[in-house]
Amino acid sequence: MHHARPDSPRAASLRPPLAGLRIIEFEGIGPGPLAGSMLVDMGAEVTVITRPERGSIARQLGGGQPDPMRRGKTVVALDLKDKAGLAQALAMVSGADALIEGNRPGVMERLGLGPVHCASDNPKLVYGRMTGWGQIGPLARSAGHDINYVALTGLLSLSARSGQMPIVPPTVVGDASGALGLAFGMVCALLEARTSGRGRVVDGAIVDVLAKLGTIAQWLCASGQLDGPEASPFHDSPFYDVYACGGGGFITLGALEPQFYALLLEKLALTDIDPAMQYDRAAWPALKARFTALFASRSRAHWCDLLEGSDVCFAPVLSMAEARLHPHNVARGLYETTGDRGVTVHGAPRGLPLQS
């Protein structure tokens, strides 16, 4: 079977499947903006509501480079704590088809922009919530980063050979990401076919999906935070890494933001370290050695008791069996045992009512 090349006139004549779809994206970092970028690629009109000033972590990690996840989006700066700014945001949402937000649970509600507030003027709104830990569960209101979420599912543990430090889990980055991208593309095409009456081929190449999912990494590379001569916060810093614990097992830290790093130092009683010098790369090797010795001096259970559920961006590296029993995962109903060692994983993302 032959299909049109991506650069052929036939492919160019296809109307983007999400053309005409209007989406409001509230400023965030990482996966929320990436989801918005993927929707832009499918033809959606995405408007980003930003804070009047750029956040500190975006300045640090992005440097002076333009944010590639803003490409093709309209940007509107609003102060959501001001009545006029809030009113303008609500008006924009009332005319939208969907919304993306990546705040902690309760933040949008306190601003007056929660699902119930938005549904009063727009009951058909699709309200997208991008979080690490979810809306419910004992960790829901805690800070975290990618390394912590992968650790708590048990998947990070799968990457470690016997006695070695875990790195990237098998099958998740390539195969699973490709499946997610194919599902996303098919839903976009199905949505468009409902109005046009015409289907299309969805070319779900894993390499394409991975390249798109690497948008954040490409941005970090452009700013010198990855794949360059300078030490990387993600590979060389003491505050984003996996550490071995005394008696066996590992824990993860992802304290990229200044406030999270300051809290980490406080909880570890490292009062002689100036949190304002977090990104002093010359100090990283000695500090990482100090962290390594400290975490190796006590058990994983000790560090869980001290750090889990706080804003230091922490999670233990769980085995697959441990992940099924962790209180946060149990509270969210992530896993169900089915017969002899069989496990069913809860479908994701979840659909919840817009109005309670």
Side-chain angles (χ1 to χ4, degrees):
M1 181 180 293
H2 298 282
H3 303 302
R5 287 166 48 89
D7 57 352
S8 71
R10 179 184 167 195
S13 68
L14 283 174
R15 180 175 182 266
L18 298 185
L21 198 70
R22 291 168 295 177
I23 299 172
I24 303 299
E25 175 190 316
F26 286 86
E27 181 183 24
I29 60 170
L34 180 59
S37 176
M38 296 174 74
L39 294 168
V40 166
D41 290 343
M42 292 293 178
E45 301 169 16
V46 177
T47 299
V48 185
I49 295 178
T50 68
R51 302 172 185 86
E53 296 183 359
R54 197 179 187 200
S56 61
I57 190 63
R59 288 195 304 270
Q60 174 60 47
L61 297 182
Q65 297 296 322
D67 187 343
M69 290 171 286
R70 295 272 176 89
R71 179 181 55 83
K73 299 178 182 178
T74 301
V75 178
V76 177
L78 295 176
D79 182 355
L80 298 177
K81 296 182 180 179
D82 175 74
K83 287 185 179 180
L86 175 61
Q88 186 175 345
L90 283 168
M92 293 168 66
V93 171
S94 69
D97 298 292
L99 175 157
I100 297 172
E101 65 93 7
N103 295 294
R104 298 197 213 191
V107 170
M108 293 293 279
E109 284 80 357
R110 288 193 295 273
L111 287 170
L113 288 163
V116 173
H117 304 99
C118 295
S120 62
D121 288 331
N122 190 354
K124 292 184 178 180
L125 181 74
V126 174
Y127 198 105
R129 315 202 83 161
M130 185 79 256
T131 65
W133 304 116
Q135 296 296 310
I136 63 168
L139 300 180
R141 297 182 184 274
S142 305
H145 275 295
D146 179 275
I147 194 171
N148 311 128
Y149 313 138
V150 181
L152 202 76
T153 61
L155 295 172
L156 185 59
S157 71
L158 295 179
S159 66
R161 291 188 174 92
S162 180
Q164 294 184 358
M165 192 79 74
I167 41 171
V168 178
T171 78
V172 178
V173 174
D175 294 349
S177 296
L180 180 62
L182 178 63
F184 167 73
M186 291 182 68
V187 169
C188 291
L190 287 165
L191 179 63
E192 193 272 339
R194 290 196 311 182
T195 57
S196 71
R198 294 182 300 171
R200 70 180 65 203
V201 174
V202 178
D203 181 6
I206 291 177
V207 66
D208 292 3
V209 177
L210 283 175
K212 181 61 187 181
L213 295 183
T215 298
I216 301 171
Q218 291 286 358
W219 183 44
L220 296 173
C221 284
S223 70
Q225 307 297 311
L226 282 177
D227 200 28
E230 289 191 21
S232 165
F234 299 94
H235 293 143
D236 306 297
S237 78
F239 48 81
Y240 193 100
D241 209 343
V242 180
Y243 288 96
C245 302
F250 303 91
I251 58 96
T252 61
L253 295 177
L256 292 167
E257 290 85 346
Q259 67 272 28
F260 302 153
Y261 180 64
L263 180 62
L264 174 65
L265 296 179
E266 177 186 329
K267 285 189 167 289
L268 296 179
L270 297 175
T271 57
D272 60 311
I273 300 173
D274 183 359
M277 301 301 291
Q278 179 179 5
Y279 283 88
D280 176 10
R281 286 168 167 76
W284 283 357
L287 192 51
K288 178 170 280 197
R290 189 171 173 185
F291 273 36
T292 299
L294 179 60
F295 287 117
S297 70
R298 304 295 293 269
S299 69
R300 189 184 74 173
H302 169 81
W303 299 119
C304 286
D305 290 342
L306 179 66
L307 302 175
E308 193 163 27
S310 73
D311 277 356
V312 303
C313 302
F314 167 92
V317 179
L318 302 179
S319 69
M320 299 293 280
E322 289 174 326
R324 297 194 290 270
L325 301 176
H326 189 277
H328 184 77
N329 298 337
V330 170
R332 294 189 60 77
L334 288 187
Y335 306 102
E336 179 182 348
T337 302
T338 56
D340 184 24
R341 299 185 65 185
V343 176
T344 298
V345 183
H346 191 286
R350 307 176 187 217
L352 304 171
L354 186 61
Q355 295 172 299
S356 56

